[in-house]
PDB file of all heavy atoms in Angstrom:
ATOM      1  N   ARG A  83     108.085 103.704  80.328  1.00 96.00           N
ATOM      2  CA  ARG A  83     107.956 102.302  80.715  1.00 96.00           C
ATOM      3  C   ARG A  83     107.996 101.404  79.469  1.00 96.00           C
ATOM      4  O   ARG A  83     108.570 100.327  79.467  1.00 96.00           O
ATOM      5  CB  ARG A  83     106.612 102.092  81.424  1.00 96.00           C
ATOM      6  CG  ARG A  83     106.667 102.229  82.931  1.00 96.00           C
ATOM      7  CD  ARG A  83     107.386 101.058  83.538  1.00 96.00           C
ATOM      8  NE  ARG A  83     107.603 101.170  84.960  1.00 96.00           N
ATOM      9  CZ  ARG A  83     106.680 101.030  85.891  1.00 96.00           C
ATOM     10  NH1 ARG A  83     105.431 100.817  85.574  1.00 96.00           N
ATOM     11  NH2 ARG A  83     106.995 101.114  87.155  1.00 96.00           N
ATOM     12  N   LEU A 106      99.491  96.652  81.558  1.00 87.00           N
ATOM     13  CA  LEU A 106      99.298  98.052  81.936  1.00 87.00           C
ATOM     14  C   LEU A 106     100.599  98.708  82.378  1.00 87.00           C
ATOM     15  O   LEU A 106     100.852  99.874  82.133  1.00 87.00           O
ATOM     16  CB  LEU A 106      98.316  98.026  83.114  1.00 87.00           C
ATOM     17  CG  LEU A 106      97.536  99.258  83.487  1.00 87.00           C
ATOM     18  CD1 LEU A 106      96.751  99.765  82.305  1.00 87.00           C
ATOM     19  CD2 LEU A 106      96.616  98.928  84.653  1.00 87.00           C
ATOM     20  N   GLN A 107     101.434  97.905  83.032  1.00 90.00           N
ATOM     21  CA  GLN A 107     102.621  98.493  83.627  1.00 90.00           C
ATOM     22  C   GLN A 107     103.737  98.760  82.626  1.00 90.00           C
ATOM     23  O   GLN A 107     104.711  99.419  82.937  1.00 90.00           O
ATOM     24  CB  GLN A 107     103.124  97.574  84.738  1.00 90.00           C
ATOM     25  CG  GLN A 107     102.152  97.567  85.900  1.00 90.00           C
ATOM     26  CD  GLN A 107     102.675  96.723  87.029  1.00 90.00           C
ATOM     27  OE1 GLN A 107     102.669  95.500  86.956  1.00 90.00           O
ATOM     28  NE2 GLN A 107     103.152  97.373  88.053  1.00 90.00           N
ATOM     29  N   HIS A 114      98.253 104.009  77.620  1.00 94.00           N
ATOM     30  CA  HIS A 114      98.103 103.661  79.031  1.00 94.00           C
ATOM     31  C   HIS A 114      96.859 104.346  79.637  1.00 94.00           C
ATOM     32  O   HIS A 114      96.065 103.724  80.332  1.00 94.00           O
ATOM     33  CB  HIS A 114      99.372 104.074  79.784  1.00 94.00           C
ATOM     34  CG  HIS A 114      99.325 103.815  81.254  1.00 94.00           C
ATOM     35  ND1 HIS A 114      99.160 104.818  82.179  1.00 94.00           N
ATOM     36  CD2 HIS A 114      99.373 102.669  81.963  1.00 94.00           C
ATOM     37  CE1 HIS A 114      99.139 104.292  83.393  1.00 94.00           C
ATOM     38  NE2 HIS A 114      99.265 102.995  83.294  1.00 94.00           N
ATOM     39  N   ARG A 118      93.658 102.477  81.341  1.00 93.00           N
ATOM     40  CA  ARG A 118      93.287 102.800  82.731  1.00 93.00           C
ATOM     41  C   ARG A 118      91.836 103.275  82.781  1.00 93.00           C
ATOM     42  O   ARG A 118      91.102 102.957  83.705  1.00 93.00           O
ATOM     43  CB  ARG A 118      94.189 103.912  83.277  1.00 93.00           C
ATOM     44  CG  ARG A 118      95.608 103.507  83.525  1.00 93.00           C
ATOM     45  CD  ARG A 118      95.850 102.975  84.892  1.00 93.00           C
ATOM     46  NE  ARG A 118      95.529 103.870  85.977  1.00 93.00           N
ATOM     47  CZ  ARG A 118      96.207 103.919  87.113  1.00 93.00           C
ATOM     48  NH1 ARG A 118      97.272 103.158  87.286  1.00 93.00           N
ATOM     49  NH2 ARG A 118      95.834 104.699  88.102  1.00 93.00           N
ATOM     50  N   VAL A 170      88.899  90.771  95.792  1.00 94.00           N
ATOM     51  CA  VAL A 170      89.275  90.945  94.387  1.00 94.00           C
ATOM     52  C   VAL A 170      88.468  89.995  93.489  1.00 94.00           C
ATOM     53  O   VAL A 170      88.118  90.349  92.355  1.00 94.00           O
ATOM     54  CB  VAL A 170      90.811  90.840  94.227  1.00 94.00           C
ATOM     55  CG1 VAL A 170      91.290  89.428  94.152  1.00 94.00           C
ATOM     56  CG2 VAL A 170      91.293  91.651  93.052  1.00 94.00           C
ATOM     57  N   ALA A 251      96.195  91.397  85.915  1.00 86.00           N
ATOM     58  CA  ALA A 251      96.948  92.393  86.693  1.00 86.00           C
ATOM     59  C   ALA A 251      96.181  92.756  87.962  1.00 86.00           C
ATOM     60  O   ALA A 251      96.759  92.820  89.051  1.00 86.00           O
ATOM     61  CB  ALA A 251      97.208  93.648  85.858  1.00 86.00           C
ATOM     62  N   VAL A 252      94.886  92.962  87.816  1.00 89.00           N
ATOM     63  CA  VAL A 252      94.083  93.342  88.973  1.00 89.00           C
ATOM     64  C   VAL A 252      94.014  92.180  89.963  1.00 89.00           C
ATOM     65  O   VAL A 252      94.188  92.355  91.169  1.00 89.00           O
ATOM     66  CB  VAL A 252      92.667  93.785  88.531  1.00 89.00           C
ATOM     67  CG1 VAL A 252      91.721  93.872  89.718  1.00 89.00           C
ATOM     68  CG2 VAL A 252      92.748  95.121  87.814  1.00 89.00           C
ATOM     69  N   SER A 255      97.701  91.591  91.548  1.00 82.00           N
ATOM     70  CA  SER A 255      98.108  92.658  92.471  1.00 82.00           C
ATOM     71  C   SER A 255      97.149  92.721  93.644  1.00 82.00           C
ATOM     72  O   SER A 255      97.548  92.978  94.772  1.00 82.00           O
ATOM     73  CB  SER A 255      98.131  94.034  91.813  1.00 82.00           C
ATOM     74  OG  SER A 255      98.211  93.953  90.435  1.00 82.00           O
ATOM     75  N   GLY A 256      95.871  92.505  93.357  1.00 85.00           N
ATOM     76  CA  GLY A 256      94.842  92.692  94.381  1.00 85.00           C
ATOM     77  C   GLY A 256      94.979  91.762  95.553  1.00 85.00           C
ATOM     78  O   GLY A 256      94.990  92.194  96.703  1.00 85.00           O
ATOM     79  N   ALA A 259      99.139  91.687  97.151  1.00 93.00           N
ATOM     80  CA  ALA A 259      99.656  92.917  97.775  1.00 93.00           C
ATOM     81  C   ALA A 259      98.969  93.187  99.107  1.00 93.00           C
ATOM     82  O   ALA A 259      99.621  93.505 100.102  1.00 93.00           O
ATOM     83  CB  ALA A 259      99.462  94.110  96.831  1.00 93.00           C
ATOM     84  N   VAL A 260      97.643  93.043  99.127  1.00 95.00           N
ATOM     85  CA  VAL A 260      96.923  93.385 100.356  1.00 95.00           C
ATOM     86  C   VAL A 260      97.199  92.342 101.441  1.00 95.00           C
ATOM     87  O   VAL A 260      97.324  92.667 102.610  1.00 95.00           O
ATOM     88  CB  VAL A 260      95.416  93.548 100.086  1.00 95.00           C
ATOM     89  CG1 VAL A 260      94.681  93.906 101.361  1.00 95.00           C
ATOM     90  CG2 VAL A 260      95.178  94.617  99.032  1.00 95.00           C
ATOM     91  N   ASN A 263     100.734  93.214 102.771  1.00 97.00           N
ATOM     92  CA  ASN A 263     100.823  94.537 103.371  1.00 97.00           C
ATOM     93  C   ASN A 263      99.981  94.629 104.647  1.00 97.00           C
ATOM     94  O   ASN A 263     100.428  95.165 105.662  1.00 97.00           O
ATOM     95  CB  ASN A 263     100.382  95.581 102.342  1.00 97.00           C
ATOM     96  CG  ASN A 263     100.823  96.968 102.721  1.00 97.00           C
ATOM     97  OD1 ASN A 263     100.265  97.558 103.633  1.00 97.00           O
ATOM     98  ND2 ASN A 263     101.838  97.485 102.050  1.00 97.00           N
ATOM     99  N   TYR A 296     100.822 102.562 105.948  1.00 98.00           N
ATOM    100  CA  TYR A 296     101.245 102.395 104.547  1.00 98.00           C
ATOM    101  C   TYR A 296     102.639 102.980 104.332  1.00 98.00           C
ATOM    102  O   TYR A 296     103.453 102.423 103.613  1.00 98.00           O
ATOM    103  CB  TYR A 296     100.243 103.047 103.582  1.00 98.00           C
ATOM    104  CG  TYR A 296      99.122 102.105 103.175  1.00 98.00           C
ATOM    105  CD1 TYR A 296      97.794 102.440 103.335  1.00 98.00           C
ATOM    106  CD2 TYR A 296      99.425 100.861 102.628  1.00 98.00           C
ATOM    107  CE1 TYR A 296      96.776 101.565 102.979  1.00 98.00           C
ATOM    108  CE2 TYR A 296      98.422  99.985 102.260  1.00 98.00           C
ATOM    109  CZ  TYR A 296      97.097 100.337 102.433  1.00 98.00           C
ATOM    110  OH  TYR A 296      96.118  99.466 102.078  1.00 98.00           O
ATOM    111  N   HIS A 301     106.860  97.693 101.798  1.00 97.00           N
ATOM    112  CA  HIS A 301     105.952  96.837 101.040  1.00 97.00           C
ATOM    113  C   HIS A 301     106.671  95.773 100.219  1.00 97.00           C
ATOM    114  O   HIS A 301     106.199  94.659 100.107  1.00 97.00           O
ATOM    115  CB  HIS A 301     105.102  97.721 100.126  1.00 97.00           C
ATOM    116  CG  HIS A 301     104.116  96.973  99.275  1.00 97.00           C
ATOM    117  ND1 HIS A 301     103.130  96.184  99.824  1.00 97.00           N
ATOM    118  CD2 HIS A 301     103.968  96.886  97.934  1.00 97.00           C
ATOM    119  CE1 HIS A 301     102.407  95.649  98.852  1.00 97.00           C
ATOM    120  NE2 HIS A 301     102.901  96.051  97.693  1.00 97.00           N
ATOM    121  N   ARG A 309     112.334 102.451  84.352  1.00 98.00           N
ATOM    122  CA  ARG A 309     111.931 103.296  83.227  1.00 98.00           C
ATOM    123  C   ARG A 309     113.185 103.614  82.412  1.00 98.00           C
ATOM    124  O   ARG A 309     114.300 103.473  82.908  1.00 98.00           O
ATOM    125  CB  ARG A 309     111.284 104.592  83.746  1.00 98.00           C
ATOM    126  CG  ARG A 309     109.913 104.362  84.388  1.00 98.00           C
ATOM    127  CD  ARG A 309     109.453 105.590  85.175  1.00 98.00           C
ATOM    128  NE  ARG A 309     108.069 105.459  85.628  1.00 98.00           N
ATOM    129  CZ  ARG A 309     107.671 104.794  86.703  1.00 98.00           C
ATOM    130  NH1 ARG A 309     108.559 104.173  87.463  1.00 98.00           N
ATOM    131  NH2 ARG A 309     106.394 104.725  87.045  1.00 98.00           N
ATOM    132  N   TYR A 332     110.165 103.451  95.911  1.00 98.00           N
ATOM    133  CA  TYR A 332     109.121 104.089  96.727  1.00 98.00           C
ATOM    134  C   TYR A 332     109.359 103.848  98.216  1.00 98.00           C
ATOM    135  O   TYR A 332     109.090 104.706  99.034  1.00 98.00           O
ATOM    136  CB  TYR A 332     107.732 103.539  96.345  1.00 98.00           C
ATOM    137  CG  TYR A 332     107.257 103.917  94.964  1.00 98.00           C
ATOM    138  CD1 TYR A 332     106.857 102.939  94.055  1.00 98.00           C
ATOM    139  CD2 TYR A 332     107.164 105.242  94.565  1.00 98.00           C
ATOM    140  CE1 TYR A 332     106.389 103.264  92.795  1.00 98.00           C
ATOM    141  CE2 TYR A 332     106.694 105.594  93.301  1.00 98.00           C
ATOM    142  CZ  TYR A 332     106.304 104.593  92.418  1.00 98.00           C
ATOM    143  OH  TYR A 332     105.840 104.935  91.169  1.00 98.00           O
ATOM    144  N   ALA A 359     103.462 104.850  99.044  1.00 98.00           N
ATOM    145  CA  ALA A 359     103.293 103.389  99.040  1.00 98.00           C
ATOM    146  C   ALA A 359     102.511 102.907  97.818  1.00 98.00           C
ATOM    147  O   ALA A 359     102.707 101.777  97.364  1.00 98.00           O
ATOM    148  CB  ALA A 359     102.597 102.936 100.320  1.00 98.00           C
ATOM    149  N   PHE A 360     101.639 103.731  97.286  1.00 97.00           N
ATOM    150  CA  PHE A 360     100.866 103.335  96.101  1.00 97.00           C
ATOM    151  C   PHE A 360     101.495 103.872  94.817  1.00 97.00           C
ATOM    152  O   PHE A 360     100.869 103.826  93.756  1.00 97.00           O
ATOM    153  CB  PHE A 360      99.422 103.826  96.207  1.00 97.00           C
ATOM    154  CG  PHE A 360      98.638 103.147  97.297  1.00 97.00           C
ATOM    155  CD1 PHE A 360      98.196 103.853  98.397  1.00 97.00           C
ATOM    156  CD2 PHE A 360      98.362 101.789  97.222  1.00 97.00           C
ATOM    157  CE1 PHE A 360      97.478 103.220  99.412  1.00 97.00           C
ATOM    158  CE2 PHE A 360      97.648 101.151  98.233  1.00 97.00           C
ATOM    159  CZ  PHE A 360      97.204 101.862  99.324  1.00 97.00           C
ATOM    160  N   GLY A 361     102.699 104.368  94.914  1.00 97.00           N
ATOM    161  CA  GLY A 361     103.372 104.888  93.742  1.00 97.00           C
ATOM    162  C   GLY A 361     102.987 106.331  93.479  1.00 97.00           C
ATOM    163  O   GLY A 361     102.395 107.002  94.331  1.00 97.00           O
ATOM    164  N   PRO A 364     101.409 108.447  86.431  1.00 97.00           N
ATOM    165  CA  PRO A 364     100.376 107.714  85.671  1.00 97.00           C
ATOM    166  C   PRO A 364     100.216 106.258  86.108  1.00 97.00           C
ATOM    167  O   PRO A 364      99.133 105.698  85.968  1.00 97.00           O
ATOM    168  CB  PRO A 364     100.851 107.773  84.218  1.00 97.00           C
ATOM    169  CG  PRO A 364     102.083 108.579  84.186  1.00 97.00           C
ATOM    170  CD  PRO A 364     102.443 109.029  85.564  1.00 97.00           C
ATOM    171  N   HIS A 365     101.258 105.630  86.641  1.00 95.00           N
ATOM    172  CA  HIS A 365     101.141 104.222  87.035  1.00 95.00           C
ATOM    173  C   HIS A 365     100.716 104.055  88.497  1.00 95.00           C
ATOM    174  O   HIS A 365     100.729 102.935  89.013  1.00 95.00           O
ATOM    175  CB  HIS A 365     102.459 103.480  86.764  1.00 95.00           C
ATOM    176  CG  HIS A 365     102.726 103.304  85.300  1.00 95.00           C
ATOM    177  ND1 HIS A 365     102.199 102.266  84.573  1.00 95.00           N
ATOM    178  CD2 HIS A 365     103.420 104.070  84.431  1.00 95.00           C
ATOM    179  CE1 HIS A 365     102.585 102.386  83.305  1.00 95.00           C
ATOM    180  NE2 HIS A 365     103.327 103.474  83.197  1.00 95.00           N
ATOM    181  N   CYS A 367      98.945 103.246  91.792  1.00 93.00           N
ATOM    182  CA  CYS A 367      98.107 102.052  92.012  1.00 93.00           C
ATOM    183  C   CYS A 367      96.640 102.315  91.655  1.00 93.00           C
ATOM    184  O   CYS A 367      96.029 103.264  92.113  1.00 93.00           O
ATOM    185  CB  CYS A 367      98.201 101.614  93.469  1.00 93.00           C
ATOM    186  SG  CYS A 367      97.217 100.149  93.784  1.00 93.00           S
ATOM    187  N   LEU A 368      96.140 101.412  90.874  1.00 89.00           N
ATOM    188  CA  LEU A 368      94.783 101.526  90.362  1.00 89.00           C
ATOM    189  C   LEU A 368      93.738 101.372  91.452  1.00 89.00           C
ATOM    190  O   LEU A 368      92.606 101.806  91.297  1.00 89.00           O
ATOM    191  CB  LEU A 368      94.631 100.364  89.377  1.00 89.00           C
ATOM    192  CG  LEU A 368      93.587 100.421  88.335  1.00 89.00           C
ATOM    193  CD1 LEU A 368      93.874 101.533  87.371  1.00 89.00           C
ATOM    194  CD2 LEU A 368      93.593  99.099  87.591  1.00 89.00           C
ATOM    195  N   ALA A 369      94.109 100.723  92.533  1.00 92.00           N
ATOM    196  CA  ALA A 369      93.102 100.312  93.512  1.00 92.00           C
ATOM    197  C   ALA A 369      93.444 100.799  94.917  1.00 92.00           C
ATOM    198  O   ALA A 369      93.143 100.133  95.892  1.00 92.00           O
ATOM    199  CB  ALA A 369      92.985  98.796  93.512  1.00 92.00           C
ATOM    200  N   MET A 372      90.490 100.848  97.226  1.00 93.00           N
ATOM    201  CA  MET A 372      90.091  99.508  97.645  1.00 93.00           C
ATOM    202  C   MET A 372      91.050  98.996  98.743  1.00 93.00           C
ATOM    203  O   MET A 372      90.624  98.470  99.770  1.00 93.00           O
ATOM    204  CB  MET A 372      90.130  98.579  96.428  1.00 93.00           C
ATOM    205  CG  MET A 372      89.736  97.164  96.712  1.00 93.00           C
ATOM    206  SD  MET A 372      90.112  96.105  95.290  1.00 93.00           S
ATOM    207  CE  MET A 372      88.645  96.200  94.348  1.00 93.00           C
ATOM    208  N   ALA A 373      92.341  99.180  98.521  1.00 95.00           N
ATOM    209  CA  ALA A 373      93.333  98.683  99.487  1.00 95.00           C
ATOM    210  C   ALA A 373      93.198  99.403 100.822  1.00 95.00           C
ATOM    211  O   ALA A 373      93.299  98.794 101.887  1.00 95.00           O
ATOM    212  CB  ALA A 373      94.738  98.867  98.917  1.00 95.00           C
TER     213      ALA A 373
HETATM  214  C1  HEM B 513      98.561  97.218 100.034  1.00 56.95           C
HETATM  215  C2  HEM B 513      98.084  97.237  98.864  1.00 56.95           C
HETATM  216  C3  HEM B 513      98.740  97.760  97.627  1.00 56.95           C
HETATM  217  C4  HEM B 513      99.913  98.432  97.454  1.00 56.95           C
HETATM  218  C5  HEM B 513     100.921  98.870  98.525  1.00 56.95           C
HETATM  219  C6  HEM B 513     100.043  98.701  96.034  1.00 56.95           C
HETATM  220  C7  HEM B 513     101.102  99.392  95.459  1.00 56.95           C
HETATM  221  C8  HEM B 513     101.234  99.631  94.119  1.00 56.95           C
HETATM  222  C9  HEM B 513     102.365 100.278  93.507  1.00 56.95           C
HETATM  223  C10 HEM B 513     103.596 100.805  94.258  1.00 56.95           C
HETATM  224  C11 HEM B 513     102.158 100.311  92.166  1.00 56.95           C
HETATM  225  C12 HEM B 513     103.120 100.712  91.072  1.00 56.95           C
HETATM  226  C13 HEM B 513     103.340 102.112  90.761  1.00 56.95           C
HETATM  227  C14 HEM B 513     104.369 102.218  89.626  1.00 56.95           C
HETATM  228  O1  HEM B 513     104.448 101.318  88.771  1.00 56.95           O
HETATM  229  O2  HEM B 513     105.113 103.183  89.588  1.00 56.95           O
HETATM  230  C15 HEM B 513     100.871  99.672  91.928  1.00 56.95           C
HETATM  231  C16 HEM B 513     100.324  99.511  90.676  1.00 56.95           C
HETATM  232  C17 HEM B 513      99.187  98.771  90.448  1.00 56.95           C
HETATM  233  N1  HEM B 513      98.341  98.247  91.399  1.00 56.95           N
HETATM  234 FE1  HEM B 513      98.574  98.338  93.402  1.00 56.95          FE
HETATM  235  N2  HEM B 513      98.963  98.193  95.383  1.00 56.95           N
HETATM  236  C18 HEM B 513      98.140  97.612  96.317  1.00 56.95           C
HETATM  237  C19 HEM B 513      96.933  97.012  96.096  1.00 56.95           C
HETATM  238  C20 HEM B 513      96.368  96.826  94.855  1.00 56.95           C
HETATM  239  C21 HEM B 513      95.075  96.226  94.613  1.00 56.95           C
HETATM  240  C22 HEM B 513      94.094  95.786  95.702  1.00 56.95           C
HETATM  241  C23 HEM B 513      94.914  96.166  93.258  1.00 56.95           C
HETATM  242  C24 HEM B 513      93.755  95.643  92.451  1.00 56.95           C
HETATM  243  C25 HEM B 513      92.581  95.300  92.892  1.00 56.95           C
HETATM  244  C26 HEM B 513      96.081  96.770  92.659  1.00 56.95           C
HETATM  245  C27 HEM B 513      96.291  96.900  91.302  1.00 56.95           C
HETATM  246  C28 HEM B 513      97.352  97.570  90.734  1.00 56.95           C
HETATM  247  C29 HEM B 513      97.548  97.675  89.291  1.00 56.95           C
HETATM  248  C30 HEM B 513      96.678  97.069  88.210  1.00 56.95           C
HETATM  249  C31 HEM B 513      98.714  98.458  89.113  1.00 56.95           C
HETATM  250  C32 HEM B 513      99.342  98.868  87.787  1.00 56.95           C
HETATM  251  C33 HEM B 513      98.907 100.256  87.449  1.00 56.95           C
HETATM  252  C34 HEM B 513      99.560 100.837  86.208  1.00 56.95           C
HETATM  253  O3  HEM B 513     100.659 100.432  85.816  1.00 56.95           O
HETATM  254  O4  HEM B 513      98.956 101.754  85.614  1.00 56.95           O
HETATM  255  N3  HEM B 513      96.943  97.156  93.652  1.00 56.95           N
HETATM  256  N4  HEM B 513     100.334  99.283  93.129  1.00 56.95           N
END
Side-chain angles (χ1 to χ4, degrees):
R83 268 289 174 74
L106 200 56
Q107 292 183 286
H114 178 254
R118 290 270 301 214
V170 82
V252 167
S255 340
V260 180
N263 197 286
Y296 272 125
H301 180 59
R309 290 167 172 82
Y332 292 126
F360 293 114
H365 290 276
C367 181
L368 201 65
M372 180 190 271

